[in-house]
Amino acid sequence: MAISLKTYTNRYLVIAILAIMAIWALLFYAVLMDEVYDNIDDGLKNQKIEIIREAYADPDIVNTTTFGINQFRIIPGTADENIDKNYFYNKEMYMPYDEEDEPYRILRTGFYTKDGKPYQLEIRTSTVEEDDFLINLAFSLAVLYVVIALSIIVINYVGLTKALRPFKLIMNGLGNYRFGDSKSFIPIESQVKEFDNLNKHIVQMIDQNEQIFEQQKRFIENASHELQTPLAVTVSKLDLLMDDQLLPEEPLSKIAEAKQSLLRLVGLNKSLLTLSRIDNKQYHEEEVVNFSELVMGLLDDFSDLIQFRELQIEVEGDGQFVTKYNGDLASILISNLLRNAIKYNTKGGILRIRLQRDRIEIANSSLGEALNPDYIFERFHKGSQDSQSNGLGLSIIRSIVDNYPTISVSYTYDEDLHVFSVNKASI
């Protein structure tokens, strides 16, 4: 699932900061403890010098064999060349105040008195409790981490919201852009260099697409118009040939086949021209259209074809489906639906019309096989029922409702009936 840029950025920032602070805390703890012990050791070495000096001045000090107020003791030692070396270590010792063992830092060394006797000197001092210090440090860092993380999230949210505002406006502009209408995209000015470049590239891309679109539109319209005249002339001449009583039957049948192919080409040309006009949104005028009356009127126009197919007409309901729409498009839409329901009906089948105030259903009998709603509205898609179809009838319907979405058209399969529904769309 996609997430926003702010969430994506904050997630990685929070994780990265946690890792960085954890590593930094370990290093900080190690450096801090090294500095603490270094300072304590310097103090112990200083005490060592003072105690040895006092031993030279007062020989009785060597009798301090237990730790007392001065926190050192002197015990007889053995002659050794390393007697004056310093050895530091930590040790837990009982502390009466806390009534528990506490950590001490101890310096063990040695010296010789004036009369040359070797003695061992131990000096101790209370040091930090590393476990308590580590807990306190971890708690402090946790609080610091929370504060930093929340600060980054807030700053990042505010900063990115402001920085990404031009990007959101650009995306909204792209969402509102409609192919063939260059004014539907409004360029956005931005102080961010990347967004400004993105905006310029989008404008260039739209201009190029619009130029190509205009060229294609003019080509299709010009080609369709130029084809109409020679096709009409050719069909007329074929009609004249078919009226010639002197022609034998075999040439007449071939002429009829040629005429039928030309009529299909005429229909394809008209359908392509209609699609081009719809996609170019050349149907601007709107009026109040009563689709229920339009359906009944077109049924009368198709009455001869209905009788030829021996279809049973069932009209249910008397709802008046009224909405503002282009009259020509409404006629094309309903005409294509009725023609489709008649043409692909079974011999002697049912043509059911259901009229409601917000819905019109046009249903026809089927051979027990549902159509695929993912493909039936695609251009040049042909089913298995009629290989002579140009595959543009339902595509014109889809183009109408896509470009003029006051109404919508849907398909269902119910009780061996193909049902096409015209609905008032919620937009």
Side-chain angles (χ1 to χ4, degrees), residues 238 242 251-263:
L238 290 177
M242 293 178 67
L252 281 175
S253 63
K254 291 183 178 180
I255 292 174
E257 292 176 0
K259 178 184 175 181
Q260 189 65 29
S261 297
L262 282 174
L263 289 176

Side-chain angles (χ1 to χ4, degrees), residues 364-387:
N364 63 276
S365 304
S366 72
L367 298 175
E369 181 180 356
L371 303 177
N372 190 334
D374 295 330
Y375 299 105
I376 57 175
F377 293 103
E378 295 294 329
R379 295 183 182 181
F380 301 105
H381 172 74
K382 300 180 182 180
S384 59
Q385 294 173 309
D386 186 8
S387 60

Side-chain angles (χ1 to χ4, degrees), residues 170 174 185 187-188 193-209:
I170 292 174
L174 285 175
F185 177 78
I188 305 299
K193 181 179 179 181
E194 288 76 10
F195 293 157
D196 188 55
N197 290 335
L198 174 63
N199 190 71
K200 291 179 181 178
H201 288 310
I202 290 176
V203 171
Q204 293 175 359
M205 180 188 68
I206 289 177
D207 290 341
Q208 292 175 357
N209 289 340

Side-chain angles (χ1 to χ4, degrees), residues 69-113:
I69 298 175
N70 294 323
Q71 295 295 309
F72 72 89
R73 69 177 182 178
I74 300 174
I75 58 177
T78 57
D80 193 344
E81 60 180 6
N82 295 323
I83 191 173
D84 58 347
K85 296 294 183 180
N86 297 324
Y87 299 98
F88 296 95
Y89 63 94
N90 294 335
K91 185 178 181 182
E92 297 284 335
M93 292 187 175
Y94 181 76
M95 184 176 289
Y97 176 79
D98 291 333
E99 296 183 349
E100 62 180 0
D101 292 339
E102 297 292 343
Y104 277 84
R105 185 70 169 171
I106 300 175
L107 166 60
R108 177 179 294 171
T109 185
F111 64 95
Y112 291 97
T113 59

Side-chain angles (χ1 to χ4, degrees), residues 20 28 37 65 122 148 232 261 290 295 318 365 379 403:
I20 291 171
F28 175 74
Y37 285 130
T65 57
E122 289 184 355
I148 293 177
S261 297
N290 190 322
V295 170
D318 56 357
S365 304
R379 295 183 182 181
N403 289 279

Side-chain angles (χ1 to χ4, degrees), residues 146-165:
V146 172
V147 173
I148 293 177
L150 291 176
S151 301
I152 289 177
I153 291 174
V154 173
I155 295 173
N156 198 24
Y157 179 83
V158 175
L160 283 179
T161 299
K162 184 176 181 180
L164 291 176
R165 186 172 181 274

Side-chain angles (χ1 to χ4, degrees), residues 66-299:
T66 58
F67 292 107
I69 298 175
N70 294 323
Q71 295 295 309
F72 72 89
R73 69 177 182 178
I74 300 174
I75 58 177
T78 57
D80 193 344
E81 60 180 6
N82 295 323
I83 191 173
D84 58 347
K85 296 294 183 180
N86 297 324
Y87 299 98
F88 296 95
Y89 63 94
N90 294 335
K91 185 178 181 182
E92 297 284 335
M93 292 187 175
Y94 181 76
M95 184 176 289
Y97 176 79
D98 291 333
E99 296 183 349
E100 62 180 0
D101 292 339
E102 297 292 343
Y104 277 84
R105 185 70 169 171
I106 300 175
L107 166 60
R108 177 179 294 171
T109 185
F111 64 95
Y112 291 97
T113 59
K114 289 192 296 184
D115 54 3
K117 292 182 178 180
Y119 285 89
Q120 187 180 72
L121 171 64
E122 289 184 355
I123 309 172
R124 72 177 187 181
T125 184
S126 180
T127 186
V128 295
E129 298 183 38
E130 292 189 30
D131 52 351
D132 292 342
F133 178 74
L134 188 59
I135 292 174
N136 292 332
L137 178 62
F139 178 78
S140 301
L141 289 175
V143 174
L144 179 61
Y145 168 75
V146 172
V147 173
I148 293 177
L150 291 176
S151 301
I152 289 177
I153 291 174
V154 173
I155 295 173
N156 198 24
Y157 179 83
V158 175
L160 283 179
T161 299
K162 184 176 181 180
L164 291 176
R165 186 172 181 274
F167 180 74
K168 287 187 175 181
L169 293 176
I170 292 174
M171 295 302 295
N172 291 335
L174 285 175
N176 296 327
Y177 170 68
R178 293 296 178 266
F179 199 63
D181 183 9
S182 59
K183 295 182 179 179
S184 59
F185 177 78
I186 301 176
I188 305 299
E189 294 184 358
S190 173
Q191 297 179 352
V192 180
K193 181 179 179 181
E194 288 76 10
F195 293 157
D196 188 55
N197 290 335
L198 174 63
N199 190 71
K200 291 179 181 178
H201 288 310
I202 290 176
V203 171
Q204 293 175 359
M205 180 188 68
I206 289 177
D207 290 341
Q208 292 175 357
N209 289 340
E210 291 297 328
Q211 292 176 6
I212 295 174
F213 176 73
E214 287 296 325
Q215 294 173 0
Q216 291 178 343
K217 182 175 69 173
R218 286 195 297 269
F219 172 78
I220 293 175
E221 291 179 351
N222 294 336
S224 297
H225 283 296
E226 291 297 326
L227 283 172
Q228 284 180 349
T229 300
L231 286 174
V233 171
T234 305
V235 171
S236 298
K237 290 184 177 181
L238 290 177
D239 286 336
L240 292 175
L241 285 174
M242 293 178 67
D243 291 337
D244 190 348
Q245 303 294 330
L246 300 177
L247 287 176
E249 183 178 352
E250 183 176 353
L252 281 175
S253 63
K254 291 183 178 180
I255 292 174
E257 292 176 0
K259 178 184 175 181
Q260 189 65 29
S261 297
L262 282 174
L263 289 176
R264 284 184 58 205
L265 186 57
V266 171
L268 176 62
N269 183 62
K270 290 182 179 179
S271 297
L272 288 174
L273 184 57
T274 301
L275 274 173
S276 175
R277 290 173 175 171
I278 294 172
D279 290 339
N280 296 338
K281 296 187 177 180
Q282 296 180 357
Y283 296 89
H284 302 293
E285 298 80 7
E286 287 189 352
E287 57 184 287
V288 177
V289 179
N290 190 322
F291 278 80
S292 299
E293 293 181 356
L294 184 60
V295 170
M296 301 307 297
L298 288 172
L299 275 178

